[in-house]
């Protein structure tokens, strides 16, 4: 399998006045060319930080990034100079940020903001780049003449389309979308997701979709990775993650979804809160909230594979006959 | 936009009436009487009364004010009592020098303050931040007369590079006064540049720019600075407006023939018409400068432009 992304042992910490925030702790991630993976996890799990680390954009200070291997399409991102990084960002790897309301610069027209990316990475004149920007706008469903308008003249959904146009302007190999639809209402959400899927097919872009909505993952991704307290606790294909769930935290996520078929059933949210990232436990960070927790969970966790694609970080499976309550679906 | 400008210009009329009223009455309250200064030592009370009438200083303060206001609204600021020439002539003779100094100093201030403020903001809490903030503090707290004299001692007396007084040597005369005044102005400007940039630097859209591959320098100079410009322009505008009113201390040290010293002298001489005229002109110029600033906002920020055209 050709890999577009290969990350080994990524750790990010923020050295703040209130202590060291361990946002990402030894994360491994691989993604095949043209594939899409959903990165799921509750707020504070370290999803955005992981994405920023891939672009080498973690704010420093306070952020400190450590990583064994970070390769994008075979290119080593870790050893790149600032200038090389600039030529990779927006060109080979792009990011759509969480909040479209604040992601656009209020004092430049949206056309200028799309064209800037094209002008930076491709050998074109200013006029050509503006023409390309207008084509991109059309592509995301905004009339080309609106290129001369400023962000405040657009609605939230349209702003997100503009952000997508910026991210895709140079046909990157890898697109990271950080909760691209959370700030939008449901109908617009569906439109934006549909648009992303279409564009992805058109350009063969690989995708990391960050979200806390398992429904979105089911809709647009081939694989799923569940993050908890700065690490991936379960990773696999949609089939692995949804039908053969193994990690107690993933099970908790599914149980906390409302069930349309049985509306009387109680919602069962996961009890407790994620551990404070300044004081992470030595063992499994989910142990304090886990219904299956035992003494063995207080040790550092190792990763176990259930098949070629399915990996889980949970030592409870060392117990003979251990299984979670959620039924496997074949 | 044009309607907005007209509105603002019309709003200046009540402001001018108020300002002239306050100045007129304050001048009246001040002790001292120009008539006694002009009249010969041995003048009889009748003679003094006659001079008073000639100068238009008879009657109650209200009568005099309304007489003055009538002229003012017709655009006539009257004649200087001490120089016996139209106030407008005297003022406009001096104004170009003041404008020169104002622009000269503001350019010095910008050259110092923008880089310092931006450096401080982009290196927040590091030693660079500390050094720039200390420098700007020194700029503000150093008394102008002292710093000006220091410059004269070094550059005029010792190295003989620039003249120490007057405005007759063109740009050469301007340099030392502009540096003296500009250094003081740079202090406030540095602080506002820093705080405004700090505010902008945290914004999400800069991250978007970096993620596009925009080089860090461009991120700061283009994307951040343009957004930080509104408060900077505000301070620039009021600083410039104030400098148009004359920088009395700086003008005094360098014997700079600007309107600042003219105004002070008019007040000391109890030259009511000249003093009032100067202050009214100052008000007009300050208001026009602030209007230009408000228009400049529209060019920097499209959201403000949209508001104006509503
Ligand atoms: N610049 C920073 N300085 C200090 N701490 C930070 C910084 N950025 C993130 N963190 C911390 O890192 C942790 C992970 O944050 P991150 O934004 O990656 O979470 P997330 O999974 O994206 O959450 P959300 O779903 O709310 O977007 C959090 O505890 C957060 O407080
Ligand atoms: Mg996030």
């Amino acid at each position: 399998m050709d890999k577009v992304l290969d990350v080994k042992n990524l750790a990010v910490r923020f050295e703040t006045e209130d202590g060291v925030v361990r946002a990402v702790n030894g994360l491994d991630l691989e993604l095949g060319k043209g594939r899409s993976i959903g990165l799921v996890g509750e707020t504070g799990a370290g999803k955005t930080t992981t994405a920023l680390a891939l672009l080498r954009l973690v704010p420093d200070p306070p952020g400190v990034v450590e990583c064994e291997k970070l390769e994008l399409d075979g290119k080593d991102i870790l050893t790149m100079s600032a200038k090389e990084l600039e030529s990779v960002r927006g060109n080979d790897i792009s990011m759509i940020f969480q909040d479209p309301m604040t992601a656009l610069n209020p004092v430049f027209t949206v056309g200028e903001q799309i064209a800037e990316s094209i002008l930076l990475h491709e050998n074109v004149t200013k006029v050509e780049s503006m023409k390309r920007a207008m084509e991109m706008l059309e592509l995301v469903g905004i009339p080309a003449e609106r290129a001369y308008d400023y962000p405040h003249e657009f609605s939230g959904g349209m702003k997100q389309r503009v952000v997508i146009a910026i991210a895709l302007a140079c046909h990157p190999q890898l697109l990271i979308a950080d909760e691209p639809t959370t700030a939008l209402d449901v109908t617009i959400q569906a439109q934006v997701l549909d648009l992303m899927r279409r564009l992805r097919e058109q350009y063969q872009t690989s995708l990391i979709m960050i979200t806390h909505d398992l429904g979105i993952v089911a809709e647009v991704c081939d694989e799923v990775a569940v993050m908890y307290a700065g690490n991936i606790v379960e990773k696999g294909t949609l089939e692995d993650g949804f039908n053969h769930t193994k990690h107690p935290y993933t099970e908790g996520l599914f149980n906390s979804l409302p069930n349309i078929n049985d509306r009387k059933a109680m919602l069962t949210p996961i009890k407790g809160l994620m551990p404070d990232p300044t004081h992470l436990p030595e063992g499994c960070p989910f142990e304090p909230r886990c219904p299956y927790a035992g003494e063995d969970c207080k040790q550092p966790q190792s990763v176990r594979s259930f098949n070629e694609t399915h990996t889980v970080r949970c030592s409870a499976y060392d117990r003979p006959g251990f299984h979670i309550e959620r039924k496997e679906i074949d | 936009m044009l309607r907005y400008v007209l509105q603002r210009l019309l709003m200046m009329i009540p402001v001018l009436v108020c300002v002239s009223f306050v100045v007129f009455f304050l001048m009246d309250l001040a002790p001292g009487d120009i008539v006694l200064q002009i009249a010969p030592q041995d003048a009889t009370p009748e003679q003094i009364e006659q001079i008073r009438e000639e100068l238009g200083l008879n009657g109650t303060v209200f009568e005099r004010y309304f007489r003055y206001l009538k002229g003012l609204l017709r655009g006539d600021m009257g004649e200087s009592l001490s120089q016996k020439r139209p106030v407008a002539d005297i003022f406009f003779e001096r104004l170009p020098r003041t404008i020169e100094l104002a622009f000269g100093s503001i350019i010095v201030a910008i050259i110092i303050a923008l880089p310092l403020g931006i450096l401080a903001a982009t290196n927040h809490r590091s030693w660079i931040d500390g050094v720039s903030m200390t420098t700007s503090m020194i700029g503000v707290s150093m008394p102008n007369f002292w710093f000006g004299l220091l410059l004269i001692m070094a550059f005029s007396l010792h190295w003989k590079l620039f003249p120490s007084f007057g405005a007759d040597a063109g740009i050469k005369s301007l340099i030392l006064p502009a540096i003296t005044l500009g250094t003081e102005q740079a202090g406030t400007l540095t602080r506002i540049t820093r705080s405004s940039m700090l505010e902008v630097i945290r914004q999400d859209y800069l991250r978007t720019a970096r993620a596009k591959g925009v080089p860090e320098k461009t991120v700061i100079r283009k994307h951040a600075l343009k957004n930080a410009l509104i408060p900077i322009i505000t301070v620039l505008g009021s600083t410039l407006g104030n400098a148009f009113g004359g920088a009395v201390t700086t003008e005094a040290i360098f014997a700079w023939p600007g309107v600042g010293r003219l105004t002070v002298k008019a007040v000391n001489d109890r030259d009511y018409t000249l003093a009032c005229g100067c202050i009214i002109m100052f008000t007009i110029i300050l208001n026009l400068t602030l209007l230009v600033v408000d228009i400049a906002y529209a060019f920097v920020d499209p959201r403000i432009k949209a508001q104006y055209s509503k």
Side-chain angles (χ1 to χ4, degrees), chain A residues 10-298:
Chain A
L10 172 71
V12 182
R13 57 175 195 271
F14 295 102
E15 298 182 339
T16 65
E17 280 163 17
D18 311 321
V20 180
V21 180
R22 303 201 175 272
V24 183
N25 306 294
L27 174 140
D28 297 334
L29 189 64
E30 285 177 12
L31 187 64
K33 273 208 177 127
R35 304 274 292 172
S36 63
I37 189 168
L39 199 55
V40 198
E42 64 195 280
T43 182
K47 306 181 296 290
T48 303
T49 308
T50 305
L52 288 176
L54 301 184
L55 284 150
R56 300 261 320 262
L57 274 180
V58 175
D60 169 23
V64 182
V65 181
E66 276 158 4
C67 191
E68 218 166 276
K69 182 173 178 187
L70 177 50
E71 279 182 6
L72 180 75
D73 196 26
K75 280 185 269 185
D76 185 3
I77 305 269
L78 281 179
T79 54
M80 279 189 181
S81 66
K83 203 156 179 208
E84 286 170 309
L85 278 172
E86 279 155 15
S87 75
V88 167
R89 289 184 196 133
N91 194 21
D92 298 325
I93 178 170
S94 286
M95 183 154 172
I96 297 171
F97 288 100
Q98 211 157 347
D99 186 0
M101 297 308 181
T102 56
L104 294 171
N105 195 326
V107 302
F108 296 105
T109 65
V110 298
E112 283 171 323
Q113 296 187 53
I114 304 172
E116 184 174 32
S117 178
I118 302 168
L119 203 57
L120 277 168
H121 298 297
E122 283 167 36
N123 201 2
V124 293
T125 64
K126 218 166 179 168
V127 181
E128 279 169 325
S129 72
M130 198 61 188
K131 228 180 91 208
R132 284 270 304 278
M134 291 170 124
E135 287 166 16
M136 282 312 292
L137 274 182
E138 292 269 354
L139 197 64
V140 296
I142 296 175
E145 65 270 16
R146 299 219 52 189
Y148 300 106
D149 288 347
Y150 290 91
H152 73 268
E153 296 164 281
F154 289 80
S155 68
M158 289 171 102
K159 276 187 203 164
Q160 192 62 306
R161 285 157 189 267
V162 172
V163 173
I164 293 174
I166 293 176
L168 291 178
C170 297
H171 314 320
Q173 305 194 35
L174 175 62
L175 175 65
I176 306 173
D178 189 359
E179 307 194 24
T181 56
T182 9
L184 309 176
D185 71 60
V186 192
T187 42
I188 310 292
Q189 239 178 50
Q191 286 176 16
V192 168
L193 286 180
D194 192 50
L195 171 74
M196 287 183 57
R197 191 165 36 204
R198 260 188 16 242
L199 294 177
R200 215 167 72 71
E201 272 160 25
Q202 191 170 341
Y203 296 122
Q204 296 295 307
T205 317
S206 315
L207 172 71
I208 298 178
M209 170 70 88
I210 297 175
T211 175
H212 26 227
D213 186 341
L214 285 163
I216 291 180
V217 178
E219 214 168 310
V220 290
C221 300
D222 311 317
E223 297 166 32
V224 59
V226 179
M227 255 189 110
Y228 189 79
N231 218 330
I232 292 176
V233 292
E234 178 159 11
K235 181 169 58 181
T237 60
L238 281 196
E239 167 81 12
D240 295 332
F242 280 65
N243 295 345
H244 305 281
T245 312
K246 288 282 190 266
H247 198 282
Y249 177 64
T250 320
E251 177 187 41
L253 282 184
F254 279 113
N255 285 343
S256 55
L257 290 180
N259 186 345
I260 308 173
N261 300 324
D262 181 7
R263 296 215 337 219
K264 291 218 184 67
M266 291 276 281
L267 279 185
T268 40
I270 307 173
K271 288 194 190 69
L273 292 171
M274 210 169 61
D276 176 3
T278 49
H279 297 97
L280 286 181
E282 200 176 306
C284 175
F286 188 56
E287 183 263 342
R289 303 167 75 184
C290 183
Y292 310 102
E295 272 310 302
D296 46 345
C297 299
K298 300 223 154 94

Side-chain angles (χ1 to χ4, degrees), chain B residues 180-255:
Chain B
T180 308
L181 189 56
T183 317
E184 183 194 352
Q185 296 166 345
T188 330
L189 200 56
T190 311
R191 298 185 150 258
I192 204 76
T193 305
R194 172 176 177 271
S195 65
S196 178
M197 282 296 279
L198 277 178
E199 183 69 34
V200 170
I201 268 171
R202 294 190 276 113
Q203 300 296 321
D204 283 351
Y205 48 77
L206 293 195
R207 201 169 57 177
T208 309
R210 290 191 187 103
K212 280 197 289 195
V214 178
E216 190 59 30
K217 264 188 196 157
T218 319
V219 171
I220 298 300
R221 286 187 203 158
K222 183 176 159 195
H223 291 259
L225 188 57
K226 193 163 178 204
N227 278 284
L229 229 43
I230 295 283
I232 298 176
I233 291 179
T234 311
V235 170
L236 265 181
S238 59
T239 311
L240 193 63
N242 278 323
F244 283 146
V248 180
T249 322
T250 311
E251 285 179 11
I253 308 164
F254 293 96

